[in-house]
Amino acid sequence: MPELSQETERGRPLLPFGPAEVTGPSMVPTLHHGDRLLVHYGARIRPGDVVVLRHPFQQDLLVVKRAAERREGGWWVLGDNVYAGGDSTDYGTVPAELVLGKVRGRFRPRKADQRSPFALVRWALSAVRPVLSDRSASRRLRAR
């Protein structure tokens, strides 16, 4: 279940920040299919952060999940959409070296049907947002 487009990996710059594009529903409502992300590669990861990582069984595939907690052997990561799957409940703890970076922001592209002035203003006010860590998320996510 891919979470980031494959073009992200090929085009990743050598700088500590780079772009990514979300594909898939596992991080709804935080992130949606088509959202563009600003990823801080090599950033310090803490519980509650939204992170980009290599899939443990298919390492050419990048996914985006929330780091729920640090465990022996790496990070326990979960999607914000409990019905989508494709997280540590399926593949276990993710080794720390597979966690590439922290998501710092997202840009939600405008939909083709957003043409009215009201729709454009609403889009403009919500299109660019920082992706903040949810420190309370690690407690909530552990309960699953």
Side-chain angles (χ1 to χ4, degrees):
M1 168 177 351
E3 285 297 324
L4 297 176
S5 69
Q6 294 301 324
E7 295 172 16
T8 300
E9 181 65 11
R10 280 182 263 135
R12 193 174 87 183
L14 298 175
L15 300 173
F17 289 93
E21 181 177 348
V22 176
T23 60
S26 74
M27 288 300 291
V28 170
T30 306
L31 302 171
H32 295 273
H33 179 80
D35 283 355
R36 307 310 197 275
L37 305 177
L38 177 63
V39 181
H40 184 182
Y41 292 100
R44 182 173 172 233
I45 307 300
R46 297 184 340 186
D49 289 343
V50 176
V51 297
V52 172
L53 58 116
R54 292 188 186 282
H55 192 284
F57 302 138
Q58 191 178 351
Q59 292 186 11
D60 61 334
L61 180 66
L62 299 179
V63 295
V64 59
K65 301 291 177 200
R66 188 173 300 276
E69 66 182 5
R70 185 89 164 147
R71 292 189 176 181
E72 184 177 329
W75 284 97
W76 189 260
V77 296
L78 296 171
D80 287 357
N81 181 353
V82 297
Y83 302 108
D87 54 24
S88 285
T89 57
D90 295 330
Y91 46 73
T93 304
V94 177
E97 61 269 10
L98 296 182
V99 178
L100 302 177
K102 180 191 301 193
V103 176
R104 296 290 186 172
R106 69 117 173 109
F107 170 75
R108 192 161 287 156
R110 187 173 63 88
K111 296 177 184 168
D113 63 345
Q114 291 177 313
R115 295 182 189 170
S116 73
F118 176 72
L120 289 174
V121 168
R122 202 171 91 188
W123 167 79
L125 293 173
S126 68
V128 178
R129 298 274 173 148
V131 176
L132 302 174
S133 299
D134 185 359
R135 301 289 177 230
S136 63
S138 60
R139 285 189 289 273
R140 279 196 326 268
L141 295 172
R142 263 192 301 240
R144 284 197 220 165

